Amino acid sequence: MLITVLILVVSAILFAIGKIRADIVALGGLILLLIFGILTPEEALAGFSSPVVIMMVGLFVVGGAIFQTGLAKKLSSKIVSLAGKNELRLFVTVFVVTSLIGAFVSNTGTVALMMPVVVSLASRADIKAGRLLMPVAFASSIGGMLTLIGTPPNLVIQDTLTGAGYEPLSFFSFSPVGLVCIISGIIILLPLSRLFLSKNDDKKGRRKKGGKTLEQLVKEYRLADNMSVFKVSAGSGLNGKTISELDIHNNYGLFVFEVRSENSRHSGIIKNVAQRSAGPETILSANDLIYITGDREQRMRFAEEYALEICSNKDEQSKDTADGLAFYDIGIAEIVLMPNSRLVNVLLKNSGFRDKYSINIIGIRRDGEYIMDNLPEVKLHSGDVLLIQGTWNNIARLSNEEDNWVLLGQPLEEADKVTLDYKAPMAAGIMLLMIMLMVFDFIPVAPVTAVMIAGLLMVVCGCFRNAEAAYKTINWESIVLIAAMMPLSVALEKTGVSSWLSNSLVNVLGGFGPMALLAGIYFTTSIMTLFISNTATAVLMAPIALSSAVEMGFSPYPFMFGVTLGASMCFASPFSTPPNALVMQAGGYTFMDYVKVGLPLQILMGIILIFVLPLIFPF
């Protein structure tokens, strides 16, 4: 018992100091429990196969898809339209929405759904995501108190009561308590988050030096200013011809920036978009969209001669892309020619970029001037910055020849940031399917299975650029932290620490009346939940609370609610619940941030509920 307590105390101190990564500390504690023989290898590694941990992995993927497809941005814009950009109204709206979702969906699932929405919302409202993410994690747990199925401890006390022959609780018996928790949570968290979370900021979006965003490149080279979008009709003279056959550059002085094909199914709800950079052998087909740059009069003459339909950027292009241009499959980047490059003093048309790399040169920056016209006849100079266009993989390949040029920025990282907005309806449908599978009991699918199905569908249905992009959304530090901490509950139970703590505190306080007993049950459960899963704590404490209430001649209901509230309202640690861990990295939080914000919330809500519970469920 002593060794287990020492390992727990040392781990807590290291978590609080914050000098060592939380997942490393958790793994270190787990290894010590193995070395001292407190846990078997099977028990120690059980956390890594736990359904909760697997669900967290799947939910990271689902949340990443919601962000990648722009669904998070769409949902956040709806919230902004409801609450405006006033921080107080946004805070309350997000807290209430999260709580309501948490009443029917697991708290882990709720946070995974809301996290990308909140990050996008914070960006749109120009506030720090850290101000909202921790309250969202807490709101998901608080919302679980609204319904019988909201959180596992609710089902545990229901089972304990019915097993002892008491009247079962109804689906909404928890709602009055849940409403008190929501109101109390908002009132307490508002000043706490403003006081302690203002310094936090999401640093993930900070860029490396040397690269520019796609928006910056589009504006700098004014790509969208001299561009028109035309649609090829079935009767157009372009139908079936290649770019080289048309000789658009020599005949009109124009450049074909991109050829895009779109097809929709199921009344336009499901859309697929394919982008092609225009090469000499690119064949144009009916319904293709062609993006052409150059003199406006020549563009209009070209469209008239080939019977092309003129499309407006607003109608045919995404509003979430850089100035109307989309970069789903093809992208743009800059390269700088080195002094010893083989291309120095070579005409661009003889550079071989198109033949060797399938890359187009669409602009040149030289001595602060931008060369956009008659590019094939331009002779390249040392130090020229070339704006290139091609598929993202082809652009990334150029980094292999840094003797000739230097590729600026990180093209593949830029590709991962491109919003696949045409897949947003697909992502929404998969998300709703997952929620239905998790909410409706008559569907025989476990929550972890529902999440795994949703995660796989997000990848297979193209809500990510590729499978690697899906893997990148998983925060492995949070996964390892939770998986390594879960076996600690087994160690505490095996060594008798948890039963000794619960029995001692309840026995000491039982003689001071029902209010003292209720306070003892709540805070004992609350303390234990810092180190043991809330479900395991509720299973351990529910029979003790029931027997204590019966022995003293009181109704067991307020005491049983004290157990489920103490097990659910666990905010003072990042590893006490999966939602707390989920937001830790995204919000830029330290262990002490949870102590500063979560511990006062946990204590104050406990005090409020100790006085409120007897009013709802008399002793």
Side-chain angles (χ1 to χ4, degrees), residues 72-129:
K73 187 175 289 187
K74 295 179 187 295
L75 294 175
S76 66
S77 66
K78 296 292 184 184
I79 295 176
V80 169
S81 66
L82 289 173
K85 293 188 177 182
N86 179 273
E87 188 174 341
L88 174 61
R89 290 169 59 189
L90 279 174
F91 184 97
V92 173
T93 303
V94 168
F95 198 95
V96 171
V97 169
T98 305
S99 299
L100 292 176
I101 296 174
F104 303 97
V105 180
S106 72
N107 55 5
T108 309
T110 300
V111 170
L113 295 176
M114 288 297 295
M115 189 161 64
V117 176
V118 170
V119 171
S120 178
L121 174 66
S123 176
R124 295 174 72 92
D126 196 27
I127 62 175
K128 295 177 180 179

Side-chain angles (χ1 to χ4, degrees), residues 75-310:
L75 294 175
S76 66
S77 66
K78 296 292 184 184
I79 295 176
V80 169
S81 66
L82 289 173
K85 293 188 177 182
N86 179 273
E87 188 174 341
L88 174 61
R89 290 169 59 189
L90 279 174
F91 184 97
V92 173
T93 303
V94 168
F95 198 95
V96 171
V97 169
T98 305
S99 299
L100 292 176
I101 296 174
F104 303 97
V105 180
S106 72
N107 55 5
T108 309
T110 300
V111 170
L113 295 176
M114 288 297 295
M115 189 161 64
V117 176
V118 170
V119 171
S120 178
L121 174 66
S123 176
R124 295 174 72 92
D126 196 27
I127 62 175
K128 295 177 180 179
R131 292 286 294 272
L132 296 174
L133 284 172
M134 188 183 291
V136 162
F138 296 165
S140 70
S141 298
I142 291 173
M145 293 308 305
L146 288 170
T147 64
L148 176 63
I149 65 169
T151 183
N154 291 359
L155 297 173
V156 170
I157 67 167
Q158 170 82 315
D159 183 66
T160 304
L161 285 167
T162 55
Y166 287 91
E167 190 73 21
L169 296 163
S170 68
F171 189 83
F172 290 108
S173 293
F174 296 81
S175 298
V177 179
L179 290 173
V180 172
C181 292
I182 292 172
I183 295 171
S184 303
I186 292 172
I187 294 172
I188 297 169
L189 271 177
L190 269 172
L192 287 175
S193 62
R194 187 166 294 178
L195 183 62
F196 295 113
L197 301 182
S198 297
K199 70 180 188 306
N200 295 307
D201 197 5
D202 183 6
K203 300 178 183 179
K204 292 171 69 176
R206 293 185 181 176
R207 302 184 48 79
K208 297 180 179 180
K209 290 184 179 180
K212 299 172 184 175
T213 66
L214 295 171
E215 289 81 0
Q216 287 172 332
L217 289 175
V218 168
K219 290 178 181 178
E220 183 177 336
Y221 287 86
R222 302 179 65 186
L223 295 179
D225 292 350
N226 298 309
M227 179 176 292
S228 294
V229 184
F230 302 117
K231 188 172 185 178
V232 180
S233 61
S236 171
L238 297 185
N239 193 8
K241 290 189 176 182
T242 64
I243 298 293
S244 60
E245 288 175 336
L246 295 170
D247 200 11
I248 297 175
H249 179 73
N250 288 328
N251 292 331
Y252 299 91
L254 302 175
F255 172 73
V256 181
F257 184 84
E258 171 194 337
V259 178
R260 189 182 306 184
S261 302
E262 298 184 1
N263 63 79
S264 301
R265 291 175 291 165
H266 303 293
S267 302
I269 296 176
I270 300 176
K271 180 190 289 185
N272 288 314
V273 177
Q275 290 182 298
R276 292 171 287 163
S277 53
E281 305 305 318
T282 302
I283 300 174
L284 301 175
S285 304
N287 297 320
D288 278 352
L289 299 176
I290 56 174
Y291 291 65
I292 295 181
T293 62
D295 181 75
R296 176 175 173 76
E297 290 185 5
Q298 292 299 322
R299 281 182 275 152
M300 295 302 105
R301 182 167 74 88
F302 171 72
E304 184 178 352
E305 291 180 3
Y306 283 98
L308 300 176
E309 179 184 342
I310 301 174

Side-chain angles (χ1 to χ4, degrees), residues 330-367:
I330 62 173
I332 56 175
E334 288 181 314
I335 61 173
V336 181
L337 293 186
M338 301 290 284
N340 59 344
S341 172
R342 59 178 173 80
L343 297 178
V344 173
N345 295 323
V346 173
L347 291 177
L348 182 57
K349 66 182 179 182
N350 298 326
S351 65
F353 269 99
R354 159 53 58 183
D355 297 332
K356 189 173 181 180
Y357 303 104
S358 298
I359 290 292
N360 293 320
I361 307 298
I362 59 177
I364 299 174
R365 177 159 55 91
R366 178 184 295 167
D367 299 328

